[in-house]
Amino acid sequence: MKFKIGLIWRIIIAIALALGLGYLTLLISEGFAKGFTRVFATFNMIFGGFLNFVVPLIIIGFIAPGIAKLGKGSGKLLGLATLFAYASTIVAGILAYFAATNLLPTYISGLGSKSIESAKEAATSFFDLEMTPLMGVMTALLLAFVLGIGMASIGSKTMLHMFEELNTIIEKVISVIIIPLLPIHIFGIFLNMTYTGEVAKVLSIFIFVFVMIIILHLIMLTLQYTVAGAVSQRNPFRLMKIMAPAYFTAIGTQSSAATIPVTLRQAKQTGASARVTDFTVPLFATIHLSGSTITLVSCSIGVMLMNDVPISFMTYLGFILMLGITMIAAPGVPGGAVVAATGLLASMLGFDESMVALMIALYMAQDSFGTATNVTGDGALAIIVDSFSKEGTSAKLSNQ
C-alpha cells in the first residue's frame, strides 16, 4: 500500500524545514545562508512567472465553460440555485471583511512591512526570466464572460467541447505542476523570512488568522442553516447534524467535487426533494464557495496589513463580487480556488509575487476547512431552493 502525504502536511513540512535549514545555514555562515536562500529565490522567480503566465488561461479555461454550462438548466430551478449560491458567497465575503478589518489590525500592529520587504531585499534570484502572459487578467475575464454567455445563448456544442478540453489541460497543469511545486515555493518564502529574522512574527499571525477563519466558517454555516430552517420549518441544528458527514469527508478530500456523493446523500436526508438535490448539489459544488471566500478575504487582508497596504470597503466589495464569479468551476483539486483568484489579487488588490506566495501559504493551511464549509453549506442552499421551488412548495403542502 502506497503511503501518500497530504498537501497540508507537505506545506507544514516545508515550513518546518525552512525554519530548521534557515537557522542551520545561519549558524554555518551568513554568506552560505544567503547563497542557499538565493537558490530558492531563483526557483520562486521561475515558479511565480509561470503562475502569472497560466492565470489568464485558468480564467478562460474554467470560467467560459462554467458559464456556458449554466445555460443548460431547468429554468427557474437554475436561476434560484445560481442566485442563492452567489448571494451566499457574497455575504460570506462581506462577513469576512468586517471581521478581519476589525480584529486583525490590532493584532498585526507593529509588524508593518518589514517581513515582506526585507525578504525581497535579502534574496534575489541569480538571473531574471521573463514570462509574459498572453493577456491581462481583466481581458481574460471579459473574454471568458463573452465566450461563456455566447456559448450558452446559441447552445454551442463544438466550442463548448473545445473549452472543456482546455479546462482538462489546465486542470492537469494545476494538479501535476503547480500544486506539487507549491510546497517548494512556500519553502523558499519562509527560508527567506528565516534569514531576515521575521519568520516568528509571520507564523504568529498565521495562527491567529487560522483560528479567526474557522470561527467565521462556523458562524456562516449557522447563518445558512438558520435561514434553511426558517424557510423549511425544520430545526437548523438537526439539519447541521445530518450534513456533518459531508463536512468531515470534505476535510479529507479537500475537494467539493470529490465529496458530491456524500453531500448528495446527506442533503436528501434533510428532507429536500430528490429532484432539487440531484440538480443543485453538483451545481453548488462548482459555483458555491462561501467557505473559500471567507478564507481568501481574511487571508488577503492579513497579508495587506502586514505590508501596510491601505484597505477600503469599496475596493474589497468589487474584489468579493468578482471573486464569486472567478471561482466558478474552479478546479476540483486542493488549492484550486486560490490559484484561480491569484489574478484578482494582483489586478484588484495590488499583490506582488511575495504577497501572493504568503497568501497561498495562508490559504492552503486551512483549505480543507474552507472546502468543508462549502459543501456543508450546499446542503442548506439545497433546502432553501427546494422551499422556493414548485417542487418544494408542493412537498410542504402534502406534508401538512
Side-chain angles (χ1 to χ4, degrees):
M1 181 176 176
K2 188 177 179 180
F3 178 73
K4 185 177 180 181
I5 302 175
L7 182 59
I8 291 178
W9 286 108
R10 278 181 276 158
I11 290 174
I12 293 173
I13 292 170
I15 294 174
L17 283 174
L19 268 64
L21 292 177
Y23 286 123
L24 180 61
T25 54
L26 281 170
L27 288 175
I28 296 173
S29 76
E30 186 171 336
F32 178 78
K34 187 170 184 178
F36 182 70
T37 305
R38 289 190 68 187
V39 172
F40 290 94
T42 303
F43 170 84
N44 283 355
M45 178 273 298
I46 297 172
F47 181 86
F50 180 73
L51 184 59
N52 289 335
F53 175 82
V54 172
V55 164
L57 301 178
I58 292 174
I59 291 172
I60 294 173
F62 285 99
I63 293 180
I67 292 176
K69 290 174 184 177
L70 291 182
K72 298 180 178 180
S74 54
K76 181 181 177 181
L77 197 60
L78 173 66
L80 284 173
T82 305
L83 174 65
F84 287 128
Y86 188 68
S88 176
T89 300
I90 301 310
V91 169
I94 294 174
L95 170 68
Y97 172 84
F98 284 108
T101 52
N102 281 281
L103 296 174
L104 292 182
T106 302
Y107 187 81
I108 298 178
S109 178
L111 178 61
S113 61
K114 290 171 61 180
S115 62
I116 311 300
E117 292 301 321
S118 60
K120 289 192 293 185
E121 294 171 3
T124 57
S125 59
F126 288 111
F127 57 87
D128 291 323
L129 184 63
E130 186 175 353
M131 303 182 197
T132 306
L134 296 176
M135 64 189 75
V137 171
M138 293 309 298
T139 302
L141 280 169
L142 289 172
L143 182 60
F145 294 154
V146 170
L147 292 173
I149 294 170
M151 286 186 285
S153 64
I154 67 174
S156 172
K157 294 183 179 179
T158 303
M159 284 191 67
L160 179 58
H161 180 69
M162 181 184 73
F163 278 97
E164 284 177 336
E165 289 192 342
L166 175 62
N167 179 295
T168 302
I169 292 171
I170 298 302
E171 185 169 339
K172 278 286 185 182
V173 171
I174 293 172
S175 60
V176 175
I177 300 176
I178 294 178
I179 297 299
L181 292 179
L182 272 179
I184 302 175
H185 188 46
I186 292 169
F187 172 86
I189 292 296
F190 277 85
L191 181 68
N192 215 328
M193 288 188 291
T194 303
Y195 176 75
T196 60
E198 296 292 334
V199 71
K201 293 179 181 178
V202 174
L203 286 177
S204 68
I205 292 171
F206 268 41
I207 295 171
F208 185 84
V209 172
F210 181 90
V211 173
M212 183 191 75
I213 287 171
I214 298 301
I215 294 173
L216 288 176
H217 284 167
L218 296 176
I219 291 173
M220 187 63 197
L221 285 174
T222 302
L223 288 174
Q224 290 170 336
Y225 278 93
T226 298
V227 174
V231 299
S232 65
Q233 298 180 350
R234 301 184 182 108
N235 186 321
F237 296 104
R238 182 177 179 276
L239 294 174
M240 291 177 71
K241 183 179 178 181
I242 292 173
M243 291 301 300
Y247 182 91
F248 291 107
T249 301
I251 289 179
T253 63
Q254 290 184 255
S255 169
S256 297
T259 315
I260 285 176
V262 178
T263 309
L264 193 58
R265 182 191 66 198
Q266 299 307 122
K268 289 178 179 178
Q269 291 181 15
T270 63
S273 66
R275 170 181 172 268
V276 171
T277 55
D278 287 344
F279 176 78
T280 58
V281 168
L283 177 65
F284 288 148
T286 61
I287 68 173
H288 178 232
L289 296 111
S290 56
S292 298
T293 301
I294 286 174
T295 306
L296 286 167
V297 171
S298 301
C299 292
S300 62
I301 289 175
V303 172
M304 291 178 76
L305 288 170
M306 290 165 64
N307 286 271
D308 285 337
V309 177
I311 299 171
S312 70
F313 176 71
M314 293 311 298
T315 299
Y316 253 92
L317 180 60
F319 172 71
I320 293 167
L321 292 173
M322 291 301 297
L323 198 60
I325 300 172
T326 304
M327 292 192 298
I328 287 178
V333 295
V338 71
V339 173
T342 52
L344 292 182
L345 291 169
S347 63
M348 299 189 73
L349 301 182
F351 274 43
D352 60 22
E353 289 183 10
S354 295
M355 294 170 72
V356 168
L358 276 178
M359 177 72 192
I360 291 173
L362 270 169
Y363 180 90
M364 294 303 298
Q366 68 75 66
D367 179 44
S368 58
F369 293 96
T371 301
T373 302
N374 293 340
V375 302
T376 308
D378 292 349
L381 294 192
I383 295 169
I384 294 171
V385 172
D386 184 53
S387 299
F388 277 86
S389 67
K390 290 181 180 179
E391 181 77 8
T393 303
S394 60
K396 285 199 296 181
L397 290 174
S398 63
N399 288 336
Q400 291 175 353

